[in-house]
Each structure stands twice: as C-alpha cells, then as structure tokens.
Amino acid sequence: MTTDTRNNANNNKNEKYARLFFAIQPSKKIQKTLGQVVEKQIQHDGGRLIKPENIHLTLLFLGKTDIDKISALKTAAGNITAKTFNLTIGKTRFWKRNQIIYAHADIYPPELFTLVDAIKNAVQNAGFEFDSRAFKPHITLARKVTRHTLVDFQQPVQWHVKEWLLMQSRQTDQGIRYTSLGRWPLH
Ligand code: ATP
Ligand code: MG
C-alpha cells in the first residue's frame, strides 16, 4: 500500500471526523473523455457537471468516520487481495429519481462485485458500519439533470482497473473535493 500523506486526514487537528468512501478512479485521460461526452449533453439538457478530477465509481460509502479509526480501516483494507478487471464504457444513462447522468459499462465483471464484497466484509469485521443497500455501480457525470438525450461515444472508453482507493470528501469554497487517504493494487 502507498499512502498519500500529503493529503492525510490528520493534517488538520481540528477535524475529528472525515467523510469517507472507497472507490475506483479512472485515469485523468478517461476522466477528461467522460467529462467531454457529458458536457455536450449538459449543453442540451441542463444540469451540473461533475468536475473531471472528481469522476469515480463508489465501491462502498462509509460516511462520517472518526479520524482516529482511519488507520484501523486502512489495515483492514490492506489485507484484501482482489483481481484487476476491465470496464468498457460506451454510453451514458439517466437516473431520473436521482437526477443524474452516469456513465455505464456494458458489463460489470464479477471481479468488481467480489472486490466490493471483500471490502464490506473487511470493514464490517473491523467494526465499521455502513448502509446495507445493494451495490449499484454507476459513474456520476452530472447532477440536477431533468432530461436526457443520448449522445453516443465516438469510441467506447476502455478502463483497465488496477487499483482501488479510500477517499475523503470535503466541502470547500471551490465545491466538493476528494483526496485519497490510501490506495491498494489489484493483482
Ligand atoms: P455532493 O454531495 O456535494 O453533490 P458528492 O455526492 O460527490 O457531492 P459525497 O456526498 O461526499 O460527494 O459522496 C461521495 C461519494 O459517495 C459519491 O459517489 C456519492 O454518490 C456517494 N454517496 C454519498 N452518500 C451516499 C450514501 N448515503 N450511500 C451511498 N453512496 C453515497
Ligand atoms: Mg452527495
């Protein structure tokens, strides 16, 4: 495991809790491509774009977490071994109830669900709690969208997923900002 100490949640001694989630995050190049696809849709349909650097797929949302427990969380996560997998993303979808446009992969391979189950088991055994709702993979690209016109990808995006991350979400003056507190390779 490598740790982004620069972004460590303990940097600010006044913070007692962190808003955390586990995620996979595509390369900057893929984030940019996905951002460009949805930008066209937003121009047409309205809504608020997710900043390209924030584009991710949430594996498990933990929410408010005591920062004193983050090292135990990372230890639990570090014991997981899981496999790499590929996602082919060729379309966007509209989730009307949540008013989002999200990127959708043709197939979500079993390795993804195995990884999520492994994370759930590991963090539960380490004493952490989370909502037990079913995992529905999606990559949010825009919010507050009320209608959706399909814009085809010129070429599907091929995302080779080779690591997963523990992310902290912070509200800042520049909007929501994510920082990674830990990352683990897939094999
Ligand atoms: P904002 O809430 O300002 O629009 P955001 O949703 O990107 O921004 P967070 O609310 O911190 O930021 O959420 C971080 C990630 O966790 C996002 O992928 C979000 O969809 C997911 N998430 C947030 N709340 C939950 C929840 N209760 N259950 C499952 N996933 C959640
Ligand atoms: Mg949110």
Side-chain angles (χ1 to χ4, degrees), residues 110-179:
E111 287 84 0
L112 170 63
F113 296 91
T114 305
L115 171 62
V116 170
D117 285 343
I119 296 171
K120 283 184 175 176
N121 277 331
V123 303
Q124 199 160 38
N125 290 338
F128 293 87
E129 287 174 350
F130 49 84
D131 280 353
S132 60
R133 65 167 88 160
F135 170 60
K136 187 171 189 292
H138 64 281
I139 304 163
T140 305
L141 300 179
R143 294 188 188 279
K144 303 216 187 312
V145 183
T146 50
R147 63 190 187 128
H148 182 226
T149 313
L150 207 65
V151 175
D152 275 336
F153 285 49
Q154 279 167 354
Q155 231 183 344
V157 170
Q158 303 290 348
W159 176 9
H160 178 58
V161 184
K162 48 186 192 301
E163 65 171 13
W164 54 287
L165 301 99
L166 174 63
M167 310 280 271
Q168 178 176 9
S169 167
R170 274 202 185 96
Q171 197 66 55
T172 74
D173 294 342
Q174 291 83 41
I176 204 95
R177 181 157 285 181
Y178 306 142
T179 48

Side-chain angles (χ1 to χ4, degrees), residues 39-84:
E39 205 175 334
K40 287 191 208 157
Q41 297 190 321
I42 293 307
Q43 281 164 6
H44 192 268
D45 296 336
R48 178 170 62 80
L49 279 180
I50 301 297
K51 279 188 246 160
E53 69 264 29
N54 281 353
I55 291 174
H56 67 281
L57 187 156
T58 297
L59 300 172
L60 181 68
F61 179 75
L62 288 177
K64 188 175 173 181
T65 307
D66 192 328
I67 59 163
D68 293 338
K69 294 185 177 160
I70 291 176
S71 66
L73 183 64
K74 294 207 287 194
T75 302
N79 287 327
I80 294 170
T81 50
K83 290 184 183 150
T84 58

